[in-house]
Every structure is written in structure tokens, then in C-alpha cells.
Amino acid sequence: MMNLSDFKDHFEQLQTENPESPIAQIRLEGFHAFDKAGLPTKRNEEWKYTDIGKLFNNEYRFVADISDSSLTSTDVDAIRLPGHLEANEIVFVNGRFMPVLSKFRSPQGQLTVLPLEDAARGIYKEMVREHLGCSSAYIKDGIHALNTSFINGGVFIYIPKEQELNHPLYIYHISDARQYNILSQPRSLIYIERNTKVQLVETFSTIGTSECFTNQVMEVVVHNNAVVEYYKIQNETANASQVSTTHIRQTGRSYVHAVTVTLNGGMIRNNMNVVMEAAGNEAHLFGLYILNGHTHLDNHTLVDNVKPNCFSNELYKGILDNETIGVFNGKIMVRPDAQKTNAYQTNKNILLSDDATINTKPQLEIFADDVKCSHGCTVGQLDENALFYLRARGIPKSDAQELLLKAFALDILDQIKPELLRGYIEQLITERLSVNKK
Amino acid sequence: MLSITNIHASIEGKQILNGINLSIQAGEIHAIMGPNGSGKSTLAAVLAGREQYEVTEGAVTFLQKDLLEMSPEDRAREGVFLAFQYPVEIPGVSTTNFIKAAVNEKRKYRGEEPLDAVSFMKLMKEKMAMLRIDQSLLSRSINEGFSGGEKKRNEIFQMAMLEPKLMILDEMDSGLDIDALRIVANGINKLRNENNAILIITHYQRLLDYLQPDFVHVLYNGRIVRSGTKELAMELEENGYDFIKEEANLITAE
Amino acid sequence: MKQELNTLEETVSGDYKYGFVTDIETDVIPRGLNEEVIRMLSEKKNEPSWMLDWRLKAYRHWLTMEEPKWPNVNYPEIDYQDISYYAAPKNKGKLKGLDEVDPELLRTFEKLGISLNEQKRLSGVAVDVVVDSISVATSFKKQLADIGIIFCSISEAIQKHPELVRKYMGSIVPATDNFFAALNSAVFTDGSFCYIPKGVRCPMELSTYFRINTGNSGQFERTLIIAEEGSYVSYLEGCTAPQRDENQLHAAVVELIAMRKAEIKYSTVQNWYPGDHNGKGGIYNFVTKRGLCLGDYSRISWTQVETGSAITWKYPSVILKGDHSVGEFYSVALTNHYQQADTGTKMIHLGKNTKSRIVAKGISAGYSQNSYRGLVRAGKNAAGARNYSQCDSLLLSDHCGAHTFPYIEVKNATSVVEHEATTSKIGEDQLFYCKQRGIDAETAVALIVNGFAKEVMNQLPMEFAIEAKKLLAVSLEGSVG
């Protein structure tokens, strides 16, 4: 059981050990916020359906204790994603960026990857000062503040203007839970300049069977005329829980395409925020979750329309089996200046078990009048008519069911543009659905 | 009846009409043709009083009154009817109620008593029979879920109910197959008489086969570049707009 | 464009038409709330001791509770010691008929357009009128009594039908349910009581007209409707309050209970004083309404047209306990000027094959904030539960807000829940189309708004629908140049 004084001790230790750190001040602000907010409870509206506090019943080792993990490149090989041979690979172990395990394939000048502390000292220091921590204005809970309190060993990624990256960026968050329960808190800041094109793929893995909890925050700043694809792949083991925040600010007129796929894990909370800070932005958010066992998944999304003429479309789909719990909370904000906003959102769920639960809460908050917004959500089963139609053509019920479930997942799958990655996810889904078969 | 003098109009600072002159007498049918973007629909919108368009120069008189000084609803009450290219859907408002409101507003404007339910129904039945409009169309929400043909027939029906003096038909034939086009054109022909006038705005000549215009004008770059009889329409159909464009560009170049 | 916006705003800035104070002598308990006040109130009403005990228990619980802060509304703190908890028209005694009702009061109703005399003769609507806190006139009681229907004030029911009141009051909305329900339970002064015996179909619409008259007096009415097996009743509630500068608190509780195959239809038209153009004054309307479909195949339907109150906080709900029971919620909420509404429903599916339907239409104008908040829950045993929700918002100005907060919780694999919501403004195209047909902006807006709300208006009984339609137009009406 961790209590607040444990965090305080760790925090003070971290600050004392790194008195000169340029990040010290932001950590301090983070800790004040944490101290004030505490850990969220179910009374907190944003955590109504996810009792994150219970994860802190475990005792965790802090990254600071075991910064020297013995993981080798060979250990990492086991968890590399398809397409890695062509990718820049950024590896975090227990929340700390590990340059020695990372690989860079893009030529110099197309991509800069630095430890966050170094970036905060060097020529990027203004960028870091201005943008690191900007998500705190949106996510005010203690979990988020906890990450900020312990920023240590984070990464800064910079894409200079006019660069189309041929090599995608793969970011691995690995927890080495072979010996201890691990709490890792990776932090990254990605700065994407104008006229660029970049694919980001983020994934999470746990090695070992101890409990681990990853509390990760990624902040992304996107400038004019950038095209950003972002994929989050969550296929963990049941001992691995996480809160994963992706906070994207479209500060220039740009295009964002994000897909979150969740297949396995303990308790998972995703915060997917897109803030439209420039006129004419466009964002497409997709999510697919196919859950079994006892996985608890909470997808929170926010599209905040600050400026006019933005377009967003959001589609999240889920299949829940066994004793899984799914939460979808999608918020569309339209600020007074954001006239001519078009924002759409849909959440569709299929429950395969009477022991599964889905809580869905789409939300529209609109303060401008010349807008077109809609949301819809459904909870239901497979279409009986379609099922019958297939069976009438001689297809066994279980196969027909599998076929239809796969078809249900397909329109999200199609949104994964890198072919190798899509093929890989498709294979995982096929395996999962044939297991789900009744 | 209608006299347009040197009209210039713009939208969002962009000049669309560059000095149009046109005079229409009662009993006449005029057709305005022209390539896409020539300003045809703008002219219709300006006559009906769409607020987004700014008239920067020129005058329009309609039945001796200054049309440009009037609000859109007063223009309608005076007898200007615009059959929309894209009739607007209003969910939950039945076509009957909508037309009733319109008819009675017009009567009020003229100092007449509103029609009671019985007389209104009688009038509706009469016009429905004339135009072969089905009752079921009128009980649905206005234009909501209507097919292209239904929308256009509904416009003609409203025209019949309101008995306007000037009927402006904006791309009446767009989205209609040949049967629907014939039905719509027959409807329009039944409504014409020596006291009203029709202004047809169209890209293609095919509607003109049914409506037989007295005059055809070609609009290009916001100006009438050619006027003639319906033979001009035939010529355009055969040769396209290119020769007109060339001519016009030559003139501008000089 | 700008011009159209202005026109719209002028169109929607109509004034409150029901702002006048009836000069009737009232019997008022001094402001403030404590056990003594509750005892005094109970004594004035000549209540049995169990009722007083119930009130005191509620009061003591209320003291431990906090005012809810989660709704999307803002208002200055309410001083509960600055409210008078009892205001009854004097000169009450026993009224034998309408003739004995204070003529000033009758004129008030005439101004409101509900002449009792007229209704008594013509309309077939039985009216139980609540002015401030006391039910002063009840008509049609005898005709109803002949078929076993009890329709009277709740005070009378406490005296004459204590067994029914004791059994059901608080069974659906417990005194401890929420802050305002607890307050109501402690200090409720009057309200309606309705009992429909087994197999009886109530032959007329039952109606109550609530009206807040005395300044600084909260209105805490309490309504209880019991529909026995196979019975049917349609109940209409209309509310108005005269114009006053100070905000007045209104915290009502309505409880409905439907036995096997019984059906209750509850319709509300609420136009409490919404405050003036600058948001000064107006009613705080904090209401707990809940129905229980206890028996199999029972049905409860809420329909509301909300145009009034400075603040509305109200979620008429249905607990679907009986198998195959049906819950419905149809709502139009129109906010203008600085009004704030946070309203919606809860559909709690517990029984098998239960069905619910939600149609909510929000219209925001001026500087108002209009929120839909709803919950659909299908429990583990609610096999085959079915819900369909449609929430649409229409925006009429660029200063107002429209918000949607639906919660959907499903805990079994055979339920089907569908929710759809849209937000849009009145289309300039729509307005222009109307104008081109000779319809002016004001009429066009009323036409479009009524079209938008049609699905809900269709649920209202005929005579109420006409009133509600007028009310929407009045709330939107103004001087168009």
C-alpha cells in the first residue's frame, strides 16, 4: 500500500539528488498539484467508473530506485513490433529513456531525439519551457500531477520543418517486472514543425510477472501543415496496468489521425486529447478495444475546439467478453470563438457476456452557435438477422459470429495505415476472436 | 413589371454581378443561361433579397416599387417567388402548415382576412388536382426526405398556392429525370398567364423545350453578353458556351 | 448575417406575461427553518403525529446533507433561513364550491387563462389548484369519487386516507434521497394526491395549477399518484409564478407508482418566472420526480415543456422494476436571457424486457445555458432491456450554450441501448426560405422551433399542447423591427 508520505519522500529525494535540474521547478509545481488533488476517487467525475486508487494498494518500486535495469537489446527483440527494421525505435525501460537500447534510422537533420533534461538546457530549452506540462491545464487530477512530479529520464523529440519522415517512430514502454512491482512514469514531449509528415507508434510491454503500473504522459505540439499519424497499441499482460495520456495541441492548421487499439491488460486508462488551437484543423480519432478476462479499460477522449472551422470525427468500437469493464467518455468542447465547428463522435459496443459491463458517456459542451455537432452511442449484440443469414448459407454459428465480430472491428482496423502494423493487429484480433468464440 | 438597371453585386467582397440590365413585361418568359459561375444564381438571390449578397450599384424596380428597399418577406408578399435550386428542409414543420402560414402572411399584408381552415383546404385541393400532387406529400415535414423531383414539385405547388407575379426558377431542371422534368414543366405552364412573368435560370436548354421562352439571355462574368430568342438557346446547346466566352473575352481584351 | 442574428435575438426576447401579484390576504409563518417551524406548520395543518415525526426525521437528515454542486448551473448561495416555509391564503375555512373561492383569486386564474368556472362547465378537466401552499379548490371530486378515484390535496389525503399516504409517501423518493427532497419532506405544505383503483380508467385529464404568489415564500409541494392494477390516469401539471425580483425557491417532490398493467401519463408545462432580461430574479426550480413501474407491463410516461424558472434542476425518472414495463421521457426545454436549465431523466432498468424511450429537445437563446443530463442503466438482471434516446439542441444565439451529458451503463449481454445527440443552429437557409415565402422572422423562428419540438408536443394532451405551443411562441416572441 502506497500512501502520500511515500510519494513525498521519493519526491524530495529526487529533487535533492538533482538540485540543478532545469525540470526541478515543473516537478515542484506538479507535486504541489498532486498534494492538493490527491489520488482520484470514484467521486471524481472523471474517474467515476474507474477506481484507480486500488492500484496503489500494491507497493511499487520507483524508477529512481532501479534506473539501471539489466535489460539488453536481445530482451527488447522479443517485443519489437513488425516494421521495426525500418523504424526509429525509442525505448523506455521503467519509465526512463534508454538511448543505448534505442535505434535511429532517419538521417541527421530529419529527427532529433534527446533526453528531456538535455533538451531543457540546450537550444530547445524555450520549446521545453513553453510546452512541457501544457496538458496540466486540461488534466487536473492527481495521477497526472504524479507523473509531472516525477519527470526524470523523459524524452524530447523534434521534427524540423519541411521533413517527411520515411521511418516511423516506434516508442516502446517496457516495464522490467522480473523482480519487483514497478511504477514507471515515462514522459515525452514531441515537437513537430510545419510542413512535416510523421508516423508515431507507441506500445507498452511488461517483462516479468510482478505487478506494474505505467503512468505515462506524452505531449505533442503540431504546427502548420503537418500531417501526424499516431497509433497506440496496448496488448499487455493482466499484471500490467496503466494510465496513458496523449495530449495533442494543433497549434497550426494541421491534420491528426490517431488510432488506439487495446487488447489486453489489467486496468487501463487512456486520455486522448486533441486541442484545436488554430482555425481549420482536422482530427480523426479511432479506437478499437476487444477485451476478455478481467481487463478494465477506460477511454477518455477530448476534442477541444478553440478556434473556428475545425473538423473532427471520432469512432470508438469495442467488444467486451467475460468480466471485462469498458468505459468510454468522449467530450467535445466548442468554445465561443469556435464558430463553424463540425464535430462528430460515435461509440459502439458489443457485449458478449452478462458479466461484462460498459459505461459510456458521450458529452457535448457547446458555447458557440454556428456549429454542427453530433454524438451517438450504441450498446448491443450482433445483428441477429445477419447471423441468421450466414447460418442459412451453411456457416456454423460460431464461425458466423466470428465473421461478424471481425467485420465490426474492420472499419477501425482499416484506419491503421502502415501495412505491416495493420497485418499484425489483424492477426491478433483474429486470434482473439477465435478464442472468444462460444 | 421588372426592371433591372446596371446591377452590381458582391458576396464577401467578391464581385459577382458586373452591371446587369434586364426588363421583363407581364406575360413574358425570359431565360437566363450561362456557364457555371457566371452569376446566374446570384441574380436570383439578389432579386429575392438574400442578405449575404451586397448590391453595390444599380436599381431594381418591381411593379413601380423599389425592390431593393424591401425585406425578403415583403418582396415575397409583393409577388416575387423564388423556386429554390436546393429547397430547404425544415424538420417537424408540415408542408401544409408551412404553406398556410405563407398564404395567410400574404393575405395579412394585403389587408385581407386569413383563410379559415375550410377555405384553405378547398384551395389546396383545387391546386393539388391541377398539379396532380399527392396528399401524402403535404403532410410530411417540408422537403425532409423528399426526392429531387418531389422537392421541385413542392416548389411548383407553393407557387400555385401563392399566385406570384414574378416566378424565378433557379435551375429547376437540376437533379430531375426526363419524366419528372416533364411533370414540373407542365405544372409551370399551367400557372402562366398574361398577368405574370417567368424568369428561368438554367445551365441547360432542355427545360426550355417545354417552357418556350420569349427571350434568352446569356450571362457571363456577371454581365449579359448576348440576348436573343430561343434559337440562341439551341445554338448554345449545340456549340456549348465556349464561343460566347471567346467573344466576351475578346471584347474585354479590347 | 449579423442582421439575421440581431433579428433572432429580438425575436427571442419576449417578456414574461404572467407577472402580476394577486392581492389576497395570506397567512405567513415568519422566515426561517427549525424544528419549531416544522411543528408549527404541522400543527396549522392539523396533522397526525406520524406525519410530524416523518417531517422531523427528514429535517434532521437534511441538516447533515450538502447542497449538490454537480449540476451545470451557477447561482448565489441560498439562505434557507431567509425563506418563509408556510404561506396559505387566509379565509380558507371549508369551501363548498368554486363560488366560495376568493374572487381575486379567480380573477388571477382568468388572467392565466384557466377560468375554473369555464373548466367546470366545459372542459371535463378536474382542477386541483395549489396557490402557494394550500389547495383551495377542487372540482369534479364527486364524479371521480363515484368510480373510486381519490383526487384531493395531499393535506386532505393525510387526514382522510392516512393508510395510503403512510404506505406510499417516501417509498419512491425517500426523505433522504437528496438535499432538496429531504428539505421538501420536512416542510412540504401541500400538493396533490391521486389514487386510481384497480381496473379503473380515469375518464378525464386530472390537472393541477401551481402558482407562487407570496414574495419570499418557497413552494414545497408534494404529489403522490398511485395507479392500481390495470388502471390508467393522465395527469397535467402547470406552473406559473408572478414576477418578483428576489429569487424564490421551489423544491417539489413527485412520486408515481404503477402496479401491474397500470399506466400513468404525467405532463408538465412549467413557466415559472424566469427572471428579467438581465438575469435578475426568477424561480429556482429544484424538483425530484420519480416513477416506479412496480408491476409487470406497467407504463410511466413523463412529458415536460419547460420554458420558465431562472434555474431548473430536474430529472423525472422511471425505475423499471416490473418485467416488460415501459418508461418514457419527452422533454422540451427552452432557455432564454440568463436562464439555466440542467434537466433530463434517469431510466433504471431492473426487470426483464423493459423498454425506455427518451426524446429531449433543448432550445437555447440569449445568454442562457441549457444542459441535458441523463442516465440509462441496464442492470445485470435486466435481460432484454431496450432503450432509445434522442437528444437534440437548437441554438438561437452566439452567447448561449447547449450541453449534453448522457450516462449509459449496461451490465448484461442482451440489452440494446442507443443514444443519439445533435447540436445545430437554426439554419440561415431555413430562415431565408421562410422569408421568401412571405413569412417574417418571428413567425419563422416560432415555426422552426415548434417543428423541432414536435415529437414531444405530440405527446401532450390536446388542450395542453395548444397552451404549450403558445408558450413556446410567447417565450420567443419580441419586437421584430
Side-chain angles (χ1 to χ4, degrees):
Chain A
M1 171 94 189
M2 306 220 43
N3 52 46
L4 295 183
S5 65
D6 293 336
F7 293 119
K8 197 166 169 45
D9 293 346
H10 284 286
F11 175 73
E12 276 163 5
Q13 188 189 342
L14 177 62
Q15 291 292 72
T16 335
E17 284 169 7
N18 305 276
E20 299 299 309
S21 169
I23 311 276
Q25 180 57 30
I26 184 170
R27 279 199 295 250
L28 183 65
E29 283 162 21
F31 195 75
H32 284 324
F34 172 71
D35 210 27
K36 199 171 150 217
L39 289 171
T41 67
K42 293 179 89 166
R43 289 170 59 107
N44 181 322
E45 181 65 25
E46 298 299 321
W47 293 88
K48 186 178 164 74
Y49 297 113
T50 300
D51 184 9
I52 200 75
K54 75 181 180 196
L55 290 179
F56 291 90
N57 291 338
N58 297 317
E59 197 73 52
Y60 296 101
R61 291 294 281 261
F62 263 75
V63 277
D65 300 338
I66 42 163
S67 52
D68 304 324
S69 165
S70 58
L71 278 187
T72 64
S73 189
T74 323
D75 295 324
V76 178
D77 284 347
I79 53 166
R80 291 187 203 276
L81 288 175
H84 66 88
L85 288 174
E86 282 302 311
N88 298 293
E89 294 183 285
I90 294 171
V91 177
F92 281 82
V93 176
N94 293 347
R96 309 198 69 168
F97 168 48
M98 304 297 272
V100 288
L101 296 176
S102 302
K103 287 180 181 163
F104 300 101
R105 292 186 170 85
S106 287
Q108 282 286 330
Q110 275 211 336
L111 170 70
T112 302
V113 179
L114 290 172
L116 197 50
E117 279 84 356
D118 294 357
R121 283 197 179 91
I123 54 168
Y124 301 106
K125 79 174 175 210
E126 280 308 305
M127 283 177 199
V128 174
R129 196 185 53 75
E130 192 182 338
H131 296 286
L132 184 66
C134 58
S135 56
S136 302
Y138 280 83
I139 308 172
K140 295 186 169 145
D141 60 50
I143 291 283
H144 191 265
L146 191 64
N147 177 293
T148 307
S149 317
F150 289 93
I151 297 178
N152 185 23
V155 74
F156 174 75
I157 299 172
Y158 179 75
I159 320 284
K161 64 186 185 202
E162 324 289 342
Q163 299 300 330
E164 289 196 12
L165 259 62
N166 294 323
H167 304 279
L169 268 151
Y170 282 19
I171 302 173
Y172 300 95
H173 296 289
I174 303 169
S175 296
D176 180 356
R178 289 177 297 190
Q179 272 185 288
Y180 310 105
N181 292 344
I182 296 294
L183 170 63
S184 14
Q185 305 206 77
R187 181 78 173 219
S188 44
L189 174 62
I190 305 184
Y191 197 93
I192 301 170
E193 293 276 20
R194 65 171 195 263
N195 297 332
T196 48
K197 210 169 170 180
V198 58
Q199 286 179 330
L200 300 166
V201 181
E202 201 171 25
T203 187
F204 303 81
S205 310
T206 298
I207 297 174
T209 52
S210 300
E211 294 296 319
C212 85
F213 176 25
T214 303
N215 178 24
Q216 170 260 345
V217 176
M218 173 190 273
E219 292 170 321
V220 187
V221 182
V222 185
H223 280 281
N224 223 7
N225 213 17
V227 177
V228 179
E229 285 174 37
Y230 169 83
Y231 303 97
K232 184 185 286 188
I233 315 293
Q234 293 166 317
N235 188 22
E236 283 254 59
T237 42
N239 58 327
S241 291
Q242 60 180 277
V243 175
S244 170
T245 298
T246 310
H247 185 84
I248 301 176
R249 292 171 60 203
Q250 293 184 264
T251 58
R253 182 185 181 132
S254 53
Y255 182 98
V256 168
H257 175 100
V259 185
T260 303
V261 178
T262 310
L263 298 175
N264 261 319
M267 180 179 277
I268 302 165
R269 161 66 171 260
N270 292 318
N271 297 313
M272 180 78 216
N273 297 352
V274 176
V275 184
M276 304 208 155
E277 295 182 24
N281 270 318
E282 184 169 341
H284 298 259
L285 308 182
F286 300 95
L288 176 65
Y289 40 100
I290 303 180
L291 309 177
N292 64 2
H294 288 87
T295 299
H296 177 124
L297 169 67
D298 181 342
N299 271 319
H300 264 59
T301 70
L302 166 71
V303 177
D304 185 4
N305 295 273
V306 180
K307 294 284 180 193
N309 286 307
C310 294
F311 175 91
S312 64
N313 184 31
E314 192 174 344
L315 175 62
Y316 271 66
K317 292 179 112 176
I319 300 169
L320 293 98
D321 201 353
N322 307 130
E323 290 167 46
T324 55
I325 296 173
V327 180
F328 175 80
N329 187 313
K331 190 193 277 190
I332 296 173
M333 278 284 272
V334 180
R335 309 261 176 187
D337 282 346
Q339 297 293 357
K340 308 269 179 206
T341 291
N342 275 305
Y344 305 98
Q345 182 193 81
T346 308
N347 172 230
K348 295 186 172 184
N349 300 282
I350 291 181
L351 264 58
L352 298 177
S353 149
D354 272 343
D355 297 317
T357 298
I358 178 76
N359 300 306
T360 168
K361 186 189 168 207
Q363 219 175 310
L364 292 171
E365 290 200 51
I366 295 171
F367 295 94
D369 70 326
D370 191 4
V371 300
K372 276 207 178 100
C373 297
S374 73
H375 67 218
C377 63
T378 59
V379 180
Q381 301 81 44
L382 287 176
D383 179 357
E384 284 297 326
N385 291 329
L387 205 57
F388 180 75
Y389 184 76
L390 291 173
R391 293 173 73 189
R393 294 289 175 270
I395 299 166
K397 187 178 175 188
S398 58
D399 288 14
Q401 201 173 25
E402 187 184 338
L403 209 66
L404 290 175
L405 288 173
K406 202 168 162 188
F408 177 80
L410 201 67
D411 44 355
I412 306 292
L413 202 57
D414 284 346
Q415 300 301 331
I416 302 173
K417 294 181 184 172
E419 244 171 82
L420 288 171
L421 199 63
R422 184 174 63 237
Y424 167 68
I425 304 283
E426 185 170 358
Q427 189 196 333
L428 290 177
I429 289 172
T430 308
E431 280 166 20
R432 165 59 58 82
L433 292 177
S434 65
V435 172
N436 274 350
K437 222 195 282 191
K438 303 228 159 131
Chain B
M1 175 186 285
L2 180 78
S3 164
I4 302 174
T5 322
N6 193 30
I7 275 292
H8 289 65
S10 64
I11 182 165
E12 287 166 2
K14 197 179 158 213
Q15 196 73 25
I16 310 279
L17 301 182
N18 295 302
I20 292 194
N21 293 290
L22 181 65
S23 178
I24 299 178
Q25 309 303 322
E28 290 178 351
I29 297 186
H30 289 243
I32 294 206
M33 300 184 72
N36 290 332
S38 57
K40 301 188 301 282
S41 289
T42 300
L43 179 61
V46 163
L47 292 177
R50 187 113 216 195
E51 281 100 342
Q52 287 97 322
Y53 293 90
E54 195 190 345
V55 176
T56 50
E57 205 182 325
V60 181
T61 55
F62 176 65
L63 299 170
Q64 281 77 50
K65 287 182 184 156
D66 183 348
L67 191 72
L68 299 181
E69 280 300 303
M70 285 185 231
S71 67
E73 52 270 39
D74 280 350
R75 297 180 199 205
R77 293 160 184 169
E78 286 285 342
V80 175
F81 185 98
L82 172 63
F84 284 56
Q85 182 180 2
Y86 304 108
V88 180
E89 301 183 357
I90 308 178
V93 177
S94 80
T95 306
T96 307
N97 277 347
F98 179 77
I99 297 177
K100 193 172 175 187
V103 166
N104 283 332
E105 289 285 349
K106 186 167 181 173
R107 295 180 66 90
K108 197 164 84 189
Y109 184 74
R110 293 183 181 161
E112 297 164 358
E113 284 294 303
L115 279 185
D116 60 59
V118 176
S119 334
F120 180 75
M121 282 318 289
K122 192 164 161 275
L123 183 66
M124 285 244 298
K125 288 252 160 64
E126 203 177 283
K127 305 287 185 185
M128 278 160 63
M130 181 174 93
L131 298 172
R132 300 211 189 125
I133 297 271
D134 196 54
Q135 173 67 47
S136 65
L137 192 74
L138 301 177
S139 50
R140 283 157 62 187
S141 289
I142 189 146
N143 294 323
E144 199 183 31
F146 283 25
S147 70
E150 284 172 335
K151 281 184 181 169
K152 297 292 161 95
R153 286 174 70 188
N154 184 21
E155 293 289 286
I156 303 301
F157 181 68
Q158 291 177 39
M159 206 152 88
M161 291 295 289
L162 291 167
E163 298 176 342
K165 300 210 177 61
L166 175 65
M167 301 175 255
I168 305 167
L169 313 176
D170 189 6
E171 304 284 1
M172 207 59 203
D173 54 336
S174 70
L176 295 189
D177 62 32
I178 196 73
D179 292 328
L181 182 66
R182 193 181 303 123
I183 293 169
V184 165
N186 285 341
I188 296 168
N189 276 324
K190 283 180 186 161
L191 298 180
R192 68 177 294 202
N193 58 46
E194 65 277 13
N195 297 318
N196 60 26
I198 299 179
L199 179 61
I200 302 163
I201 285 171
T202 184
H203 184 90
Y204 300 105
Q205 177 265 346
R206 60 178 193 158
L207 181 65
L208 306 183
D209 286 347
Y210 298 96
L211 295 183
Q212 304 290 336
D214 302 303
F215 301 97
V216 173
H217 313 275
V218 181
L219 196 63
Y220 181 61
N221 280 343
R223 256 193 216 107
I224 291 177
V225 293
R226 250 272 211 131
S227 292
T229 56
K230 72 176 199 295
E231 281 68 35
L232 176 58
M234 302 302 289
E235 199 183 334
L236 287 169
E237 183 72 7
E238 227 156 84
N239 305 326
Y241 286 104
D242 285 350
F243 79 99
I244 295 282
K245 288 183 191 173
E246 277 162 30
E247 260 180 45
N249 291 339
L250 268 178
I251 294 163
T252 333
E254 282 162 12
Chain C
M1 162 81 194
K2 198 71 219 164
Q3 190 192 335
E4 265 182 19
L5 277 179
N6 291 341
T7 317
L8 259 180
E9 271 172 32
E10 285 163 22
T11 304
V12 298
S13 60
D15 281 317
Y16 190 67
K17 294 216 162 159
Y18 303 115
F20 48 85
V21 178
T22 309
D23 191 13
I24 312 171
E25 271 187 82
T26 45
D27 178 10
V28 182
I29 290 184
R31 294 173 186 197
L33 183 56
N34 52 48
E35 292 203 5
E36 205 39 54
V37 165
I38 293 169
R39 281 177 212 282
M40 206 189 316
L41 187 156
S42 184
E43 195 185 334
K44 271 187 184 288
K45 298 174 73 66
N46 197 23
E47 286 178 353
S49 61
W50 59 266
M51 195 69 249
L52 176 62
D53 292 344
W54 199 78
R55 287 176 183 278
L56 289 171
K57 215 174 138 194
Y59 172 70
R60 287 167 197 149
H61 189 82
W62 178 74
L63 288 175
T64 68
M65 299 174 92
E66 274 179 37
E67 207 172 316
K69 293 285 176 238
W70 48 263
N72 192 24
V73 294
N74 290 301
Y75 54 91
E77 198 142 331
I78 298 170
D79 182 354
Y80 292 92
Q81 295 304 334
D82 196 35
I83 293 171
S84 168
Y85 288 85
Y86 183 82
K90 259 189 186 162
N91 169 34
K92 52 183 174 91
K94 288 245 186 310
L95 296 168
K96 292 204 184 78
L98 294 180
D99 311 344
E100 294 184 15
V101 173
D102 190 326
E104 182 69 19
L105 189 62
L106 287 180
R107 274 195 291 278
T108 304
F109 289 125
E110 265 157 45
K111 277 193 242 173
L112 284 170
I114 50 150
S115 146
L116 280 178
N117 290 320
E118 198 62 19
Q119 292 194 16
K120 199 173 177 188
R121 267 184 288 118
L122 298 173
S123 66
V125 175
V127 182
D128 177 34
V129 183
V130 176
V131 169
D132 290 336
S133 311
I134 286 284
S135 176
V136 287
T138 306
S139 50
F140 283 91
K141 208 184 259 182
K142 171 129 191 4
Q143 287 97 314
L144 293 171
D146 289 346
I147 49 172
I149 292 176
I150 305 166
F151 181 41
C152 62
S153 71
I154 198 110
S155 311
E156 189 180 333
I158 291 167
Q159 306 292 339
K160 293 191 181 158
H161 309 281
E163 69 298 339
L164 287 171
V165 176
R166 276 187 95 163
K167 184 170 175 192
Y168 292 112
M169 186 188 276
S171 69
I172 300 146
V173 180
T176 53
D177 190 79
N178 67 65
F179 183 83
F180 298 112
L183 179 63
N184 174 288
S185 302
V187 301
F188 74 89
T189 36
D190 218 329
S192 295
F193 176 83
C194 182
Y195 176 85
I196 317 290
K198 188 171 168 180
V200 171
R201 220 185 136 78
C202 183
M204 60 187 84
E205 315 275 357
L206 300 183
S207 168
T208 298
Y209 231 96
F210 290 110
R211 184 150 195 284
I212 296 180
N213 199 14
T214 314
N216 275 331
S217 64
Q219 177 129 2
F220 303 93
E221 74 285 334
R222 184 143 195 135
T223 296
L224 176 59
I225 299 176
I226 303 148
E228 290 284 10
E229 186 174 332
S231 67
Y232 167 84
V233 62
S234 169
Y235 187 89
L236 317 181
E237 172 198 87
C239 323
T240 52
Q243 214 156 327
R244 279 191 188 281
D245 278 347
E246 290 141 284
N247 298 295
Q248 282 170 292
L249 177 64
H250 175 250
V253 171
V254 175
E255 296 176 285
L256 312 180
I257 182 160
M259 308 303 177
R260 189 182 153 80
K261 291 193 175 170
E263 181 177 350
I264 302 174
K265 214 170 139 56
Y266 194 104
S267 312
T268 306
V269 172
Q270 186 261 113
N271 63 331
W272 300 120
Y273 179 51
D276 67 10
H277 285 207
N278 303 312
K280 191 168 159 48
I283 299 286
Y284 293 168
N285 190 27
F286 303 130
V287 176
T288 307
K289 289 184 167 177
R290 195 174 299 155
L292 172 63
C293 281
L294 184 63
D296 295 351
Y297 300 97
S298 57
R299 184 186 196 108
I300 288 177
S301 177
W302 298 102
T303 304
Q304 59 175 29
V305 175
E306 304 274 323
T307 61
S309 296
I311 294 174
T312 300
W313 177 96
K314 172 177 175 185
Y315 315 92
S317 307
V318 184
I319 299 166
L320 297 145
K321 191 151 187 259
D323 293 348
H324 306 280
S325 58
V326 178
E328 291 171 311
F329 175 74
Y330 297 94
S331 168
V332 174
L334 187 154
T335 53
N336 198 354
H337 307 311
Y338 286 86
Q339 278 177 275
Q340 306 174 55
D342 194 307
T343 181
T345 184
K346 292 181 194 173
M347 292 291 171
I348 312 292
H349 293 258
L350 302 174
K352 291 184 180 41
N353 299 315
T354 47
K355 284 198 183 76
S356 64
R357 183 179 168 82
I358 298 169
V359 179
K361 304 274 181 177
I363 300 145
S364 334
Y367 291 81
S368 67
Q369 297 295 330
N370 198 329
S371 301
Y372 168 81
R373 188 183 302 276
L375 168 67
V376 174
R377 178 184 289 153
K380 204 168 172 55
N381 297 318
R386 187 90 180 76
N387 161 270
Y388 176 74
S389 309
Q390 173 78 45
C391 307
D392 296 320
S393 305
L394 191 65
L395 295 153
L396 303 187
S397 95
D398 53 1
H399 316 294
C400 60
H403 317 286
T404 320
F405 306 94
Y407 295 73
I408 293 152
E409 304 174 3
V410 179
K411 293 184 193 302
N412 69 70
T414 52
S415 292
V416 177
V417 177
E418 287 172 82
H419 169 95
E420 282 179 71
T422 64
T423 302
S424 54
K425 70 178 287 197
I426 280 196
E428 276 168 44
D429 288 351
Q430 291 176 333
L431 273 182
F432 183 69
Y433 191 68
C434 292
K435 286 184 187 172
Q436 213 298 309
R437 297 296 181 260
I439 301 168
D440 60 46
E442 184 175 305
T443 315
V445 169
L447 203 65
I448 293 166
V449 165
N450 267 304
F452 174 76
K454 191 176 182 178
E455 220 181 323
V456 174
M457 303 299 243
N458 282 348
Q459 298 297 325
L460 289 171
M462 182 70 95
E463 59 270 38
F464 233 34
I466 294 163
E467 189 186 331
K469 209 171 156 178
K470 274 192 212 149
L471 197 57
L472 283 188
V474 163
S475 305
L476 289 167
E477 150 184 304
S479 50
V480 174

